[in-house]
């Protein structure tokens, strides 16, 4: 990996030199646009709508057009005059409880590596954040754009996650939810029981992108055929669709039965289902109380369901 940014975290009077690396990558297969007739690559030309000539990237500026049609052209020198955080410094603004940051605000993630022969300050900041269970809010400037970001710890390493500004998250209200009746107690209990049977610790390695896997297989077959085209395959028979189930209780019951069959099928050699792992996530006292109040009805519902099956 190559670092994309170098600077330091300003933690009070302590400076923590760091290198920044992009933490994620897109695994989607890339395609080029081609002419369907002969397979030639499609290219795009930057053409001025006034003079009709091709324009080099170095000769392009940025323009803003107001709703009233007023146009303003800005150059790189104009952007340089705007206020921005120090380009090679990540100032810590404040520390906030981890659970107070809504996940909808998270944008891109970056790994931070210590950029010092003695990374003691880096380890100190990472250890402190981990022990106090808080996230540092910082300013981070990358590619002439200043973002609000969250600085936290992941497996002993500092991770920077840029955040959306509050006005970048849309406010929304759906009229379809107005006047909707509250779920019945029986529906809630059965839904809680279903959640209980499907609960486990999160393991991202259990999930795969089936679309990309099948797309790669399809491309490999096309390459192996030597024609550059996908071999024709027989059409699969259309799957039968169940009629829409209006009765929620019946739908939940069917879901519980299907979940029970899957659990039995994935059990050990004696046909016994493997117990779900206990969640290891830390909870605040308020969350623990909430968890107890919701877990008890689920267990009672599970016993009642088992009793009905036994009868």
């Amino acid at each position: 990996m190559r670092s994309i940014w170098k600077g330091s975290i300003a933690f009070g009077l302590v400076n923590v030199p760091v290198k920044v690396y992009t933490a994620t990558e897109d695994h989607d297969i890339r395609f080029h646009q081609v002419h369907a007739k002969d397979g030639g690559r499609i290219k795009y030309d930057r053409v001025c709508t006034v003079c009709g000539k091709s324009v080099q990237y170095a000769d392009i500026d940025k323009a803003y057009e107001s709703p009233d049609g007023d146009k303003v052209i800005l150059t790189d020198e104009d952007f340089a005059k705007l206020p921005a955080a120090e380009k090679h410094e990540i100032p810590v603004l404040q520390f906030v409880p981890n659970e107070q940051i809504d996940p909808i605000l998270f944008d891109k993630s970056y790994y931070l590596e210590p950029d010092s022969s003695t990374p003691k300050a880096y380890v100190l900041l990472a250890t402190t954040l981990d022990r106090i269970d808080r996230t540092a809010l910082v300013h981070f400037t990358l590619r002439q754009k200043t973002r609000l970001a969250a600085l936290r710890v992941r497996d002993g390493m500092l991770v920077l996650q840029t955040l959306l500004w509050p006005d970048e998250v849309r406010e929304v209200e759906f009229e379809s939810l107005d006047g909707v009746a509250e779920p019945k107690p029986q529906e809630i209990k059965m839904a809680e029981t279903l959640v209980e049977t499907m609960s486990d610790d999160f393991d991202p390695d259990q999930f795969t992108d089936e679309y990309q896997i099948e797309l790669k297989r399809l491309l490999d077959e096309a390459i192996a055929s030597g024609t550059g085209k996908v071999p024709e395959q027989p059409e699969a028979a259309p799957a039968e669709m169940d009629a829409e189930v209006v009765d929620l209780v019946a739908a939940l019951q069917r879901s519980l039965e299907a979940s029970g069959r899957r659990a039995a099928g994935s059990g050990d050699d004696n046909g016994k289902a493997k117990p779900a792992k206990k969640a290891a996530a830390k909870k605040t006292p308020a969350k623990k109380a909430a968890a107890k109040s919701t877990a008890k009805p689920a267990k009672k519902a599970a016993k009642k369901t088992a009793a009905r099956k036994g009868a």
Side-chain angles (χ1 to χ4, degrees), residues 292-307:
K292 289 181 180 180
S293 64
T294 55
K296 288 181 179 179
K299 291 180 180 179
K300 289 181 180 179
K303 290 180 180 179
K304 290 181 180 178
T305 304

Side-chain angles (χ1 to χ4, degrees), residues 6 8 26 49 132 136-137 199 232 296 310:
K6 286 186 179 182
S8 62
D26 189 351
T49 58
I132 65 177
L137 290 182
S199 295
E232 292 187 7
K296 288 181 179 179

Side-chain angles (χ1 to χ4, degrees), residues 263-281:
S266 61
D268 54 21
D269 296 337
N270 297 324
K272 296 180 180 180
K274 295 180 180 179
K277 299 176 183 177
K278 294 182 179 179

